[in-house]
Coordinates of all heavy atoms in Angstrom, one line a residue:
V1 N 17.6 5.8 -9.9 CA 17.5 6.5 -8.7 C 16.1 7.1 -8.6 O 15.6 7.8 -9.5 CB 18.6 7.7 -8.9 CG1 18.4 8.7 -7.7 CG2 20.0 7.2 -8.9
I2 N 15.5 6.8 -7.4 CA 14.2 7.3 -7.2 C 14.2 8.5 -6.3 O 14.8 8.5 -5.2 CB 13.4 6.1 -6.4 CG1 13.3 4.9 -7.4 CG2 11.9 6.6 -6.1 CD1 12.6 3.7 -6.7
T3 N 13.4 9.5 -6.8 CA 13.3 10.7 -5.9 C 12.0 10.5 -5.0 O 11.0 10.1 -5.5 CB 12.9 11.9 -6.8 OG1 14.1 12.1 -7.7 CG2 12.8 13.3 -5.9
L4 N 12.2 10.7 -3.7 CA 11.2 10.5 -2.7 C 10.7 11.8 -2.0 O 11.5 12.6 -1.8 CB 11.7 9.5 -1.7 CG 12.1 8.1 -2.1 CD1 12.9 7.4 -0.9 CD2 10.9 7.2 -2.5
Q5 N 9.5 11.8 -1.8 CA 8.9 12.9 -0.9 C 8.7 12.3 0.4 O 8.0 11.3 0.6 CB 7.6 13.4 -1.5 CG 7.0 14.6 -0.5 CD 5.8 15.1 -1.1 OE1 5.3 14.7 -2.1 NE2 5.2 16.1 -0.5
S6 N 9.5 12.8 1.4 CA 9.4 12.3 2.8 C 8.0 12.3 3.3 O 7.4 13.4 3.3 CB 10.4 13.0 3.7 OG 11.7 12.9 3.2
T7 N 7.5 11.2 3.9 CA 6.2 11.1 4.5 C 6.2 9.9 5.4 O 6.9 9.0 5.1 CB 5.1 11.1 3.4 OG1 3.8 11.1 4.2 CG2 5.2 9.9 2.6
N8 N 5.4 9.9 6.4 CA 5.1 8.7 7.2 C 3.7 8.2 7.1 O 3.3 7.4 7.9 CB 5.6 9.0 8.7 CG 4.8 10.1 9.2 OD1 3.8 10.6 8.7 ND2 5.2 10.6 10.5
E9 N 3.0 8.7 6.1 CA 1.6 8.3 5.9 C 1.3 7.8 4.6 O 1.9 8.2 3.6 CB 0.7 9.6 6.3 CG 0.7 10.1 7.7 CD -0.2 11.3 7.9 OE1 -0.7 11.7 6.9 OE2 -0.3 11.7 9.1
Y10 N 0.3 6.8 4.5 CA -0.1 6.3 3.2 C -1.1 7.3 2.7 O -1.9 7.8 3.4 CB -0.7 5.0 3.4 CG -1.5 4.4 2.2 CD1 -0.8 3.6 1.4 CD2 -2.8 4.8 2.0 CE1 -1.4 3.1 0.2 CE2 -3.4 4.3 0.8 CZ -2.8 3.4 0.0 OH -3.4 3.0 -1.1
S11 N -1.0 7.7 1.4 CA -1.9 8.6 0.8 C -2.7 8.0 -0.4 O -3.9 8.2 -0.5 CB -1.1 9.9 0.2 OG -0.1 9.4 -0.7
S12 N -2.0 7.1 -1.2 CA -2.7 6.5 -2.3 C -1.8 5.3 -2.8 O -0.7 5.3 -2.4 CB -3.0 7.5 -3.4 OG -1.8 8.0 -4.0
N13 N -2.4 4.5 -3.6 CA -1.6 3.4 -4.2 C -0.4 3.9 -4.9 O -0.5 4.9 -5.7 CB -2.5 2.5 -5.1 CG -3.6 1.8 -4.4 OD1 -3.5 1.7 -3.2 ND2 -4.5 1.3 -5.1
G14 N 0.8 3.3 -4.7 CA 1.9 3.8 -5.5 C 3.2 3.1 -5.0 O 3.2 2.2 -4.1
I15 N 4.3 3.6 -5.4 CA 5.7 3.1 -5.0 C 6.1 3.9 -3.8 O 6.1 5.1 -3.7 CB 6.7 3.3 -6.1 CG1 6.2 2.6 -7.4 CG2 8.1 2.8 -5.6 CD1 6.1 1.1 -7.4
Y16 N 6.4 3.1 -2.7 CA 6.8 3.7 -1.4 C 8.2 3.1 -1.0 O 8.6 2.0 -1.4 CB 5.8 3.4 -0.4 CG 4.6 4.2 -0.5 CD1 3.5 3.7 -1.3 CD2 4.3 5.4 0.3 CE1 2.3 4.4 -1.3 CE2 3.2 6.0 0.2 CZ 2.2 5.6 -0.6 OH 1.0 6.3 -0.6
Y17 N 8.9 3.8 -0.2 CA 10.1 3.3 0.4 C 9.7 3.1 1.9 O 9.3 3.9 2.6 CB 11.2 4.5 0.5 CG 12.5 4.1 1.1 CD1 13.1 2.8 0.9 CD2 13.2 5.0 1.8 CE1 14.2 2.5 1.6 CE2 14.5 4.7 2.4 CZ 14.9 3.4 2.2 OH 16.2 3.2 2.8
I18 N 9.7 1.8 2.3 CA 9.1 1.4 3.5 C 10.1 0.5 4.4 O 11.2 0.1 3.8 CB 7.9 0.6 3.4 CG1 8.1 -0.7 2.6 CG2 6.8 1.4 2.6 CD1 7.0 -1.6 2.4
E19 N 9.7 0.4 5.7 CA 10.5 -0.6 6.5 C 9.5 -1.6 7.0 O 8.4 -1.2 7.5 CB 11.1 0.2 7.7 CG 12.0 -0.7 8.6 CD 12.7 0.1 9.7 OE1 12.9 1.3 9.4 OE2 13.1 -0.6 10.6
Y20 N 9.8 -2.8 6.9 CA 9.0 -3.9 7.3 C 9.8 -5.2 7.8 O 10.8 -5.5 7.0 CB 8.0 -4.3 6.1 CG 7.1 -5.6 6.5 CD1 6.1 -5.5 7.4 CD2 7.4 -6.8 5.8 CE1 5.3 -6.6 7.8 CE2 6.6 -7.9 6.1 CZ 5.6 -7.8 7.2 OH 4.8 -8.9 7.4
G21 N 9.5 -5.7 8.9 CA 10.3 -6.8 9.3 C 11.8 -6.4 9.5 O 12.7 -7.3 9.2
Q22 N 12.0 -5.2 10.0 CA 13.4 -4.8 10.3 C 14.2 -4.6 9.0 O 15.5 -4.6 9.1 CB 14.1 -5.7 11.3 CG 13.4 -5.6 12.7 CD 14.1 -6.5 13.7 OE1 15.0 -7.3 13.4 NE2 13.9 -6.3 15.0
K23 N 13.6 -4.6 7.9 CA 14.3 -4.4 6.6 C 13.6 -3.2 5.8 O 12.4 -2.9 5.9 CB 14.2 -5.6 5.8 CG 14.9 -6.8 6.3 CD 14.9 -8.0 5.3 CE 15.7 -9.1 5.8 NZ 15.7 -10.3 4.9
K24 N 14.5 -2.4 5.1 CA 14.0 -1.3 4.3 C 14.2 -1.7 2.8 O 15.1 -2.4 2.4 CB 15.0 -0.1 4.5 CG 14.9 0.5 5.9 CD 15.8 1.7 6.1 CE 15.7 2.3 7.5 NZ 16.6 3.5 7.5
F25 N 13.1 -1.4 2.0 CA 13.1 -1.6 0.6 C 12.0 -0.8 0.0 O 11.2 -0.2 0.6 CB 12.8 -3.1 0.3 CG 11.8 -3.8 1.3 CD1 10.5 -3.5 1.2 CD2 12.2 -4.7 2.2 CE1 9.5 -4.1 2.0 CE2 11.3 -5.3 3.1 CZ 9.9 -5.1 3.0
V26 N 12.1 -0.8 -1.4 CA 11.1 0.0 -2.2 C 10.1 -1.1 -2.7 O 10.5 -2.1 -3.3 CB 11.8 0.7 -3.4 CG1 10.8 1.3 -4.4 CG2 12.8 1.7 -2.9
R27 N 8.8 -0.8 -2.5 CA 7.8 -1.7 -2.9 C 6.5 -0.9 -3.4 O 6.4 0.2 -3.0 CB 7.4 -2.6 -1.8 CG 8.4 -3.7 -1.4 CD 8.6 -4.7 -2.4 NE 9.5 -5.7 -2.0 CZ 10.9 -5.7 -2.1 NH1 11.4 -4.6 -2.8 NH2 11.5 -6.7 -1.7
Y28 N 5.6 -1.6 -4.1 CA 4.3 -1.1 -4.5 C 3.4 -1.3 -3.3 O 3.3 -2.5 -2.9 CB 3.9 -1.7 -5.8 CG 2.5 -1.2 -6.2 CD1 2.5 0.0 -6.9 CD2 1.3 -1.9 -6.0 CE1 1.2 0.5 -7.3 CE2 0.1 -1.4 -6.5 CZ 0.1 -0.1 -7.1 OH -1.1 0.3 -7.4
V29 N 2.7 -0.3 -2.9 CA 1.8 -0.5 -1.8 C 0.4 -0.2 -2.3 O 0.1 0.9 -2.8 CB 2.2 0.4 -0.6 CG1 1.1 0.3 0.6 CG2 3.6 0.2 -0.1
E30 N -0.5 -1.2 -2.0 CA -1.9 -1.1 -2.4 C -2.8 -1.3 -1.3 O -2.8 -2.3 -0.6 CB -2.2 -2.2 -3.5 CG -3.6 -2.1 -4.0 CD -3.9 -3.1 -5.2 OE1 -2.9 -3.8 -5.5 OE2 -5.1 -3.3 -5.6
K31 N -3.7 -0.4 -1.0 CA -4.6 -0.4 0.0 C -5.8 -1.4 -0.2 O -6.4 -1.3 -1.2 CB -5.1 1.0 0.4 CG -5.8 1.1 1.8 CD -6.2 2.6 2.0 CE -6.8 2.7 3.4 NZ -7.1 4.1 3.8
I32 N -6.2 -2.3 0.7 CA -7.3 -3.2 0.6 C -8.4 -2.6 1.3 O -9.6 -2.6 0.8 CB -6.9 -4.6 1.2 CG1 -5.7 -5.2 0.5 CG2 -8.1 -5.5 1.1 CD1 -5.2 -6.5 1.1
N33 N -8.3 -2.2 2.6 CA -9.3 -1.5 3.3 C -8.6 -0.5 4.3 O -7.4 -0.2 4.1 CB -10.2 -2.5 4.1 CG -9.3 -3.5 5.0 OD1 -8.4 -3.0 5.7 ND2 -9.6 -4.7 4.8
N34 N -9.3 0.0 5.3 CA -8.7 1.0 6.2 C -7.7 0.5 7.0 O -6.9 1.4 7.6 CB -9.8 1.6 7.0 CG -10.8 2.4 6.2 OD1 -10.5 3.0 5.2 ND2 -12.0 2.5 6.7
T35 N -7.4 -0.8 7.1 CA -6.4 -1.3 8.0 C -5.4 -2.3 7.3 O -4.4 -2.5 7.9 CB -7.1 -2.1 9.2 OG1 -7.9 -3.2 8.7 CG2 -8.0 -1.2 10.0
Q36 N -5.7 -2.8 6.1 CA -4.9 -3.7 5.5 C -4.3 -3.2 4.1 O -5.1 -2.5 3.4 CB -5.7 -5.0 5.2 CG -6.1 -5.7 6.5 CD -5.0 -6.3 7.3 OE1 -4.8 -6.0 8.4 NE2 -4.2 -7.3 6.7
V37 N -3.1 -3.5 3.8 CA -2.5 -3.2 2.6 C -1.8 -4.5 2.0 O -1.4 -5.4 2.7 CB -1.5 -2.1 2.6 CG1 -2.2 -0.7 3.1 CG2 -0.4 -2.4 3.6
I38 N -1.4 -4.4 0.7 CA -0.7 -5.4 0.0 C 0.6 -4.7 -0.4 O 0.6 -3.7 -1.0 CB -1.4 -6.0 -1.2 CG1 -2.5 -6.8 -0.8 CG2 -0.4 -6.8 -2.0 CD1 -3.4 -7.4 -2.0
I39 N 1.8 -5.2 0.0 CA 3.0 -4.8 -0.4 C 3.6 -5.8 -1.4 O 3.5 -7.0 -1.2 CB 4.0 -4.5 0.7 CG1 4.2 -5.8 1.5 CG2 3.6 -3.4 1.5 CD1 5.3 -5.5 2.6
S40 N 4.1 -5.3 -2.6 CA 4.5 -6.3 -3.6 C 5.6 -5.7 -4.5 O 5.8 -4.5 -4.5 CB 3.3 -6.7 -4.5 OG 2.9 -5.6 -5.3
T41 N 6.2 -6.6 -5.3 CA 7.2 -6.2 -6.3 C 6.5 -6.1 -7.7 O 7.1 -5.7 -8.7 CB 8.3 -7.1 -6.4 OG1 7.8 -8.4 -6.8 CG2 9.0 -7.3 -5.1
G42 N 5.2 -6.4 -7.7 CA 4.5 -6.4 -9.0 C 4.2 -7.8 -9.4 O 3.4 -8.1 -10.3
K43 N 4.9 -8.8 -8.8 CA 4.6 -10.3 -9.1 C 3.6 -10.8 -8.1 O 3.8 -10.5 -6.9 CB 5.9 -11.0 -9.1 CG 6.9 -10.6 -10.2 CD 8.2 -11.4 -10.1 CE 9.2 -11.0 -11.1 NZ 10.5 -11.8 -11.0
N44 N 2.6 -11.6 -8.6 CA 1.7 -12.1 -7.7 C 2.2 -12.9 -6.6 O 1.8 -12.9 -5.4 CB 0.6 -12.9 -8.4 CG -0.2 -12.0 -9.4 OD1 -0.3 -10.8 -9.2 ND2 -0.8 -12.6 -10.4
E45 N 3.3 -13.7 -6.9 CA 3.8 -14.6 -5.9 C 4.6 -13.8 -4.8 O 4.9 -14.5 -3.7 CB 4.8 -15.6 -6.6 CG 6.0 -15.1 -7.3 CD 5.8 -14.7 -8.8 OE1 4.6 -14.6 -9.1 OE2 6.8 -14.6 -9.5

């Protein structure tokens, strides 16, 4: 069970609860630059 702090803004690399492609899931979000991020489960593939 993950405790979440409600927010609609990216603050720093970490675990986020997000919606993408009309689906909701928990993923690691890593910022590449001011406009791009990588969302992953921790596996490169």
Side-chain angles (χ1 to χ4, degrees):
V1 175
I2 298 176
T3 303
L4 299 166
Q5 180 176 1
S6 299
T7 181
N8 57 8
E9 296 181 354
Y10 172 91
S11 59
S12 60
N13 295 347
I15 302 296
Y16 286 83
Y17 181 38
I18 64 174
E19 183 175 343
Y20 174 70
Q22 298 183 339
K23 292 183 179 180
K24 293 180 180 179
F25 39 72
V26 175
R27 291 292 186 271
Y28 182 79
V29 179
E30 180 180 356
K31 192 173 184 180
I32 302 174
N33 53 48
N34 291 335
T35 60
Q36 297 291 114
V37 295
I38 291 176
I39 58 176
S40 71
T41 61
K43 297 179 180 179
N44 293 334
E45 63 268 22

